[in-house]
Amino acid sequence: DIAAAFEARGRKTKRLTVSHAFHSPHMDGMLADFRKVAEGLSYATPAIPLVSNLTGTVVGDEEVSRPEFWVRHVREAVRFHAGVGALEAEGVTTFVELGPDGVLSAMGQECVTGDGHAFVPVMRRGRSETETLTVALATAFARGAAQAPDWAAYFAGCGARRVELPTYPFQRQWYWLDSGSPAGGSGDPAGLGLESADHALLGAAVELPDTDGFLFTGRLSRETQPWLADHAVMGTVLLPGTAFVEMALHAGEQVGCDRIEELTLEAPLILPEKGGVRLRLSVGTEDGDGRRPLSLHSRPESATVDEPWVRHATGQLTQGAQNPSFDLSVWPPEGAEPVEVAGLYEGLAASGFAYG
């Protein structure tokens, strides 16, 4: 009933794969028996500070040694958000998830307030256990985990051996190569079986043999294209409508269409402060009248595979563009009159439009 009520509001729900309704009134019938088991156990002092999901705070040794603490733990609410906040307040920046998947790591990233945190699951469903565990240990170690892993035990029986590193001191100078990729990517699209899109916003293109269509891909971010931040509306950086026009024109040129017959913007494309968004611009099969459908989607690069792509624009490409009636090779254009622009940007900013 609860799930149906939330789904009716357009919310996403997911049924947990658990045997019982833990942390709810449905556990009341077993608490007495559970208390007897808890009272029959012996408790030891934790070796490291412990933040409890029962209280959401650091708990003392005496508190976790009481059977009643664990009875409450199975019955009461899980204060996960408060617990992550308590760890962050204690200076924790690397969170290692010990469990069968990375569900808590994904949730934890939504709980922290600062920057520079890492969430490292030691197992991921559908992925190699060896690779995931190795990456987790290496990440924690590289981020300065207080206790280094017992590497001798980890590599025991696998044939690994220690090798000598170079004896000379590192010069500590960076020589990262700037690929010059217009779309801020690294590497050659040809090496991935793609064609370069030769465009400032689109990185690669691929022909779709079955449909005679084309798919263009790209990545947008404030880091690789800082000039995109010069278009902000009410404090939010949006991709300008002219950028959609520019990408549509470029895509049309690749398929022999030099005219945008129609372009409908359906949703704004927001550029996050951190990270980037992936673009997918598709051009469909030509119809009998020489038109090709066009659509442009995006999705944050941090999104999971089950999160939907957002469609931002649809349109029609065709042939027969008109020749311009002006010559921009001459500046100012013939017959143009200068207009006073003093205070223009200040006035726009006061209305919520921040242009760089």
Side-chain angles (χ1 to χ4, degrees):
D1 291 341
I2 295 174
F6 275 105
E7 289 170 352
R9 302 181 189 179
R11 301 292 189 264
K12 180 181 178 181
T13 66
K14 181 178 181 180
R15 185 175 294 273
L16 300 181
T17 307
V18 293
S19 59
H20 294 76
F22 299 103
H23 312 288
S24 80
H26 287 282
M27 304 306 296
D28 289 346
M30 56 79 72
L31 293 183
D33 291 336
F34 185 77
R35 183 178 289 104
K36 293 179 180 178
V37 174
E39 291 173 346
L41 301 178
S42 58
Y43 298 88
T45 301
I48 60 175
L50 178 66
V51 172
S52 171
N53 274 342
L54 176 62
T55 63
T57 60
V58 178
V59 293
D61 301 343
E62 182 179 353
E63 189 172 4
V64 297
S65 298
R66 295 175 179 173
E68 189 61 30
F69 176 88
W70 299 102
V71 174
R72 293 178 55 202
H73 203 288
V74 76
R75 168 62 177 86
E76 297 183 17
V78 179
R79 302 194 61 191
F80 178 77
H81 184 279
V84 173
L87 290 168
E88 185 180 20
E90 292 290 329
V92 173
T93 58
T94 303
F95 297 78
V96 179
E97 177 175 356
L98 305 179
D101 203 355
V103 176
L104 298 182
S105 293
M107 293 170 55
Q109 296 179 48
E110 302 296 327
C111 299
V112 294
T113 59
D115 298 323
H117 298 87
F119 289 82
V120 187
V122 299
M123 295 180 70
R124 294 297 299 270
R125 184 175 57 183
R127 300 188 186 181
S128 166
E129 292 186 13
T130 302
E131 180 179 350
T132 305
L133 177 60
T134 302
V135 171
L137 290 175
T139 302
F141 180 61
R143 291 179 57 85
Q147 294 181 338
D150 184 350
W151 293 117
Y154 177 75
F155 288 110
C158 68
R161 59 187 179 87
R162 185 179 296 274
V163 298
E164 294 295 329
L165 292 174
T167 56
Y168 58 85
F170 289 103
Q171 300 300 310
R172 302 197 180 281
Q173 288 181 275
W174 288 25
Y175 294 95
W176 295 115
L177 298 178
D178 183 3
S179 66
S181 172
S186 60
D188 181 9
L192 302 175
L194 307 173
E195 300 177 17
S196 174
D198 294 325
H199 193 266
L201 300 177
L202 301 172
V206 59
E207 186 177 1
L208 306 177
D210 291 340
T211 63
D212 188 33
F214 261 83
L215 176 66
F216 299 84
T217 68
R219 177 185 182 273
L220 302 181
S221 78
R222 302 194 204 183
E223 290 85 1
T224 54
Q225 296 113 341
W227 43 272
L228 290 175
D230 288 344
H231 184 262
V233 179
M234 306 304 290
T236 300
V237 176
L238 303 178
L239 188 69
T242 49
F244 292 99
V245 175
E246 167 59 30
M247 287 188 286
L249 280 173
H250 182 79
E253 291 174 357
Q254 310 309 304
V255 296
C257 296
D258 57 1
R259 177 186 174 194
I260 302 177
E261 185 175 74
E262 177 183 345
L263 186 64
T264 302
L265 304 185
E266 300 181 355
L269 198 162
I270 300 175
L271 295 175
E273 185 173 353
K274 299 292 184 181
V277 296
R278 294 189 175 97
L279 294 181
R280 297 291 187 270
L281 191 159
S282 60
V283 178
T285 305
E286 180 179 334
D287 63 14
D289 297 324
R291 296 184 178 87
R292 287 179 179 264
L294 172 145
S295 64
L296 189 144
H297 295 73
S298 83
R299 186 169 69 178
E301 60 184 4
S302 60
T304 59
V305 293
D306 59 344
E307 292 187 42
W309 290 78
V310 176
R311 190 172 72 182
H312 299 282
T314 58
Q316 293 282 345
L317 301 173
T318 186
Q319 302 177 11
Q322 298 177 350
N323 293 324
S325 59
F326 46 83
D327 182 9
L328 290 182
S329 64
V330 179
W331 195 263
E334 183 179 354
E337 298 180 3
V339 176
E340 179 60 45
V341 295
L344 174 63
Y345 282 88
E346 291 80 3
L348 290 169
S351 300
F353 300 89
Y355 296 133

